[in-house]
Amino acid sequence: MGTAQIVRGALHSIKVALSIIQYAEEIEHTSWSERAKFCMATLTFQGAVGEVTGSRYLIELNDTEPSHKLLLECGLHQGGPDAERVNARPFGALARQLSAVVLSHGHLDHAGLLPKLVREGYRGPIHCPWDTRDLLEIMLADAAFVMAKDIEWENKWRTKADKPLLEVLYDLDDVERTLKLCEPHGYGQPVSLPGGATLVFRDAGHILGSSIVELGLPSGGRQRRLVFSGDLGNPSSVLMKEPEKIHEADVVMMESTYGDRDHRPLEETIEEFSQVLEEAHDAGGNVLIPAFAVGRTQEILYHLSVLYHEGRLKQQRIFLDSPMAIRVTELYARKRKSLNREDLKVLNVAAQGDPSQYLPVLRLTRSVEESMAINRIHGGAIVIAGAGMCNGGRILHHFRYNLAKPSTRVVIVGFQAAGTLGRQLVDGAERVKVLGDELPVKAKIHTIGGFSAHAGQSHLVGWAGAFRHRPQFYLVHGEPSAQKALQTALAESGIEADIPGYGDCVSL
């Protein structure tokens, strides 16, 4: 490098330094109201980046004095070797610094750490859609109960091994405090937030109470619009309405769970499902369906009901073996006004909303004893049980009795995150560990993706294409391969999208 280049480089560095000093002095000598043009709102990606679960985003508003922090989502990490460690990580000072929390819907990967946030000191409002509030009452209580049982079991052997005991992330008292902080709102209803921000929920068509979140955020002296897709529904799914399309935004965070593929058409999916059930009946085995308690279970019951009334369902014993799924199914029945009217006509749901009225062979097994009795049935039954990713719940006990039988059929109807038992089965594992025992997998595993409650790639691209004026897109809630595939598909449609990393902070 020559002397002239060195001098030019040094002069450039001095110029940059002087500019920074001048910028700081300008801020220092202006009133707070005049500082707004310097004070940009920021968005920090704290979860569901490079993975599907653990949704969490921190928004900091600096246009007002004092500044305000908003938390968008507070989700549980599910699957993977580090999930427990990450979930246990303290919120620290953030729990008391937050002015408000905004929640798109009630799935645990979006809301499952709310009671932990409250346990650590949060006392502000939790804004959510109306039906989400009712779901949270079921889901968070169930999560606390299951967690307590798991920790109790874990600590038994830790005591014997003289190892440190584990503590629950939260308990039922924390859940009760969390529910008292919830402030529910209807779709399309404008809500004022601290720091001059505004909020509107739109129907995402994913599960009961799911929403697209529109936030108006003061930033640099103007109002910026941030849109978070939440989980966008699959337009082919039953019971839910189609996701609303939004046309105006400055920044869009969009999920990418199935960014790498489209789902099979529903008609073909139902035919495949029917064929699997028929083969299981002919083979003399049971059908195990690990199902998410919210959304997927209700959709599966819908299709089983249709097959039953068409005379195409040979199994005469169907068990919904999940206390939480039972409560959620009963809630869906009470919330008929929120569901798709045309689909409800098919079910002909009576005023009482009793599922047995549209699927007479269905049995709701609430107690542990009823659940255990199912394992005495060696064939001809359909068992729908949680958890959806096979990472806990009663489905594990049914695996224990059925997974090693060639006549068994396991039907996977939802996304299986990396590191979960469900993902191992989908990936063709020949042996898996269930409740401490290693079992051979001789059952046939069927993955039926058409039942997904998430939008596929084409629907995601179509939803993104409705925005005008080319907003900045960030892809979240997806594994890296799915995100890159969606990024490419969006680019082919003229839409540029970035893939943020954990901890990345962007100015709005």
Side-chain angles (χ1 to χ4, degrees), residues 253-272:
M253 290 194 300
M254 186 170 74
E255 69 125 319
S256 52
T257 308
Y258 287 98
D260 56 348
R261 60 193 183 276
D262 282 327
H263 302 304
R264 195 173 185 181
L266 183 59
E267 294 78 11
E268 295 180 15
T269 298
I270 295 171
E271 286 305 312
E272 181 184 3

Side-chain angles (χ1 to χ4, degrees), residues 11 39 105 214 243 245 274 390 399 412 434 442-443 454 475:
L11 289 173
C39 298
H105 67 287
E214 283 188 73
K245 288 189 175 180
S274 176
C390 312
F399 278 170
I412 302 292
V434 177
K442 295 184 179 180
H454 285 265
L475 302 184

Side-chain angles (χ1 to χ4, degrees), residues 211-433:
S211 70
I212 300 161
V213 178
E214 283 188 73
L215 290 169
L217 305 171
S219 181
R222 58 167 290 195
Q223 198 81 353
R224 305 281 286 180
R225 182 174 293 183
L226 168 67
V227 172
F228 172 50
S229 70
D231 284 349
L232 291 174
N234 180 356
S236 298
S237 295
V238 296
L239 299 179
M240 294 294 104
K241 300 172 184 177
E242 288 198 18
E244 290 188 49
K245 288 189 175 180
I246 300 174
H247 303 291
E248 302 296 334
D250 297 296
V251 176
V252 179
M253 290 194 300
M254 186 170 74
E255 69 125 319
S256 52
T257 308
Y258 287 98
D260 56 348
R261 60 193 183 276
D262 282 327
H263 302 304
R264 195 173 185 181
L266 183 59
E267 294 78 11
E268 295 180 15
T269 298
I270 295 171
E271 286 305 312
E272 181 184 3
F273 185 44
S274 176
Q275 185 176 350
V276 170
L277 297 179
E278 187 170 343
E279 289 177 359
H281 180 270
D282 294 343
N286 292 322
V287 179
L288 306 182
I289 306 178
F292 297 91
V294 183
R296 202 63 44 83
T297 290
Q298 292 72 42
E299 184 170 6
I300 293 300
L301 291 175
Y302 174 96
H303 292 300
L304 287 172
S305 173
V306 172
L307 291 174
Y308 173 84
H309 288 287
E310 290 177 350
R312 301 170 61 192
L313 185 64
K314 293 184 177 180
Q315 284 86 353
Q316 293 300 301
R317 288 181 291 189
I318 300 173
F319 298 94
L320 180 51
D321 189 30
S322 165
M324 180 169 69
I326 292 169
R327 292 182 65 192
V328 172
T329 300
E330 292 169 341
L331 177 63
Y332 265 64
R334 294 196 301 272
K335 296 282 186 177
R336 294 186 299 281
K337 291 183 180 179
S338 299
L339 305 178
N340 187 304
R341 291 182 180 179
E342 296 304 312
D343 293 332
L344 292 180
K345 287 180 182 178
V346 175
L347 289 182
N348 191 25
V349 178
Q352 293 82 7
D354 182 359
S356 66
Q357 295 181 6
Y358 59 83
L359 188 52
V361 295
L362 177 64
R363 301 292 177 264
L364 307 179
T365 54
R366 302 176 193 269
S367 70
V368 173
E369 291 75 19
E370 290 173 312
S371 177
M372 292 172 64
I374 296 173
N375 290 319
R376 293 196 290 269
I377 300 173
H378 301 293
I382 298 173
V383 183
I384 305 168
M389 295 187 192
C390 312
N391 55 339
R394 293 182 177 180
I395 193 66
L396 298 182
H397 296 276
H398 299 305
F399 278 170
R400 196 173 193 176
Y401 285 88
N402 293 274
L403 207 54
K405 299 177 181 179
S407 60
T408 299
R409 302 294 186 269
V410 177
V411 181
I412 302 292
V413 294
F415 185 84
Q416 305 298 308
T420 61
L421 174 57
R423 184 61 165 266
Q424 293 177 46
L425 294 173
V426 169
D427 290 344
E430 295 182 356
R431 300 186 70 84
V432 293
K433 198 168 187 178

Side-chain angles (χ1 to χ4, degrees), residues 15-182:
K15 184 177 180 181
V16 170
L18 289 173
S19 297
I20 294 172
I21 294 171
Q22 182 180 3
Y23 176 79
E25 288 178 345
E26 286 182 29
I27 296 177
E28 181 65 28
H29 292 93
T30 55
S31 66
W32 183 264
S33 60
E34 292 173 328
R35 288 188 201 182
K37 61 183 178 181
F38 301 106
C39 298
M40 306 295 285
T42 60
L43 166 66
T44 304
F45 299 88
Q46 296 189 339
V49 284
E51 62 173 320
V52 174
T53 66
S55 187
R56 193 164 97 201
Y57 312 98
L58 178 64
I59 298 167
E60 297 180 80
L61 305 176
N62 301 307
D63 268 20
T64 58
E65 187 176 13
S67 60
H68 290 274
K69 293 182 179 181
L70 311 177
L71 194 65
L72 176 58
E73 313 285 76
C74 192
L76 194 72
H77 292 265
Q78 298 170 304
D82 295 328
E84 290 185 8
R85 178 183 58 81
V86 174
N87 288 331
R89 187 182 297 157
F91 286 97
L94 182 64
R96 296 187 180 277
Q97 293 173 350
L98 290 171
S99 298
V101 173
V102 176
L103 194 63
S104 70
H105 67 287
H107 270 149
L108 291 181
D109 60 323
H110 290 256
L113 285 184
L114 279 173
K116 181 175 184 289
L117 183 71
V118 172
R119 185 184 183 97
E120 295 184 20
Y122 180 68
R123 295 296 182 267
I126 299 170
H127 298 280
C128 62
W130 270 105
D131 292 338
T132 293
R133 163 60 181 77
D134 294 330
L135 273 177
L136 288 177
E137 186 171 357
I138 299 171
M139 298 193 68
L140 295 180
D142 183 82
F145 177 79
V146 171
M147 194 184 309
K149 289 294 184 183
D150 289 346
I151 292 293
E152 181 183 1
W153 180 268
E154 178 81 7
N155 282 340
K156 283 183 179 179
W157 76 262
R158 283 180 169 268
T159 300
K160 295 177 182 177
D162 198 27
K163 290 189 175 184
L165 301 183
L166 300 179
E167 292 186 9
V168 294
L169 297 179
Y170 51 84
D171 57 28
L172 290 173
D173 289 338
D174 299 315
V175 170
E176 188 175 338
R177 283 192 288 269
T178 300
L179 295 173
K180 288 179 179 178
L181 297 177
C182 288

